[in-house]
Amino acid sequence: MSQRIVIGLSAVVAAVADGEARVLTVRTPGQPAALPFGPFDPEAGRTFEIALRTFVSAQTGFNPGYVEQLYTFGDKGRDAPLAAVDGAQAARVISVGYLGLTARADTVAQAGATWSAITGFFPWENWRDGRPAALAGIEAALRNWAGASAARLSRVRLLFALDEAPWNDERVLERYELLYEAGLAQEAARDRGETPDPAIALLGPALGEPMISDHRRILATALSRLRGKLRYRPVIFEMMPDAFTLSALQKAVELVAGVPLHKQNFRRALERSGLVEGLGRLDQETGGRPAELFRFRRESLASRSAPGLSLPLLRD
């Protein structure tokens, strides 16, 4: 007898607000955080994207702006034990993920919906102020897991920048999957039906907040995609207001990429790109010396290949 297939839709809607890169989540009392998600009804939904927008609006009260298809998550067992969507019991759940970007992290209208800081789910990804403290305990646990295996230790070193290896901000998904494989992600014990290791519990917030089902894996995939796209497409402007200062733009990039940028080099590269244009007026709400306001020259994309942003890192 063939197994029934259910197509689910999951949304990662990201914004920059209140000094954090944030993601739209739905929280039910007693349950981990979730992304807006639900089943696709082929009778009612003309397209996946339209159905997704309907889900997000119904579950959060927020209407997303820019969205693009992210990835299809179809691994067998990904829906066990907590990924089931309505009517999906005893079915194979295939989830189509979407990435949405918005400049409006408005107050959401539905109970339980909130804009959660992405660093709360991946605290080891925040290098804006140097090597994150969360990595101290994680490093010891990963080295213990690797043991005498040279292959495991090599992966740990490369992904988590140990022993002076360089940090690669785009490998978010690989880092989360390594933590899951090592049993350090809280979802691992849950999915395997195992009792959580008390030693892991001692690491506490360093391991990040879990999510239902494989939603943290979907979020990691989205963050990896978004960080990569910064370099070859100007997607960051989908997260900016119509008028912004260059300092605000740099901060937004740093919040998404999780790394500090060299101010002068960033601005020089931005000037060469032709992506922004001064508006001839000043921002009077900076709290300090007024700064010039700029806009994104969206029309520049029609006459050239869509460039991304240079991310010149601030080195010690």
Side-chain angles (χ1 to χ4, degrees), residues 14-26:
V16 172
D18 302 322
E20 291 281 358
R22 298 184 179 273
V23 63
L24 191 57
T25 59
V26 179

Side-chain angles (χ1 to χ4, degrees), residues 11-27 33-36 56-57 59-67 98-121 209 211 219 226 238-240 256:
V12 177
V13 183
V16 172
D18 302 322
E20 291 281 358
R22 298 184 179 273
V23 63
L24 191 57
T25 59
V26 179
R27 295 175 180 271
L35 300 170
V56 174
S57 179
Q59 294 178 14
T60 69
F62 182 82
N63 294 313
Y66 171 95
V67 297
Y98 277 79
L99 172 63
L101 305 176
T102 180
R104 299 169 27 252
D106 298 344
T107 301
V108 286
Q110 298 297 333
T114 188
W115 289 96
S116 300
I118 293 178
T119 53
F121 301 106
E209 183 183 351
M211 302 184 80
L219 178 56
L226 180 55
E238 304 295 343
M239 307 174 78
M240 300 300 296
V256 172

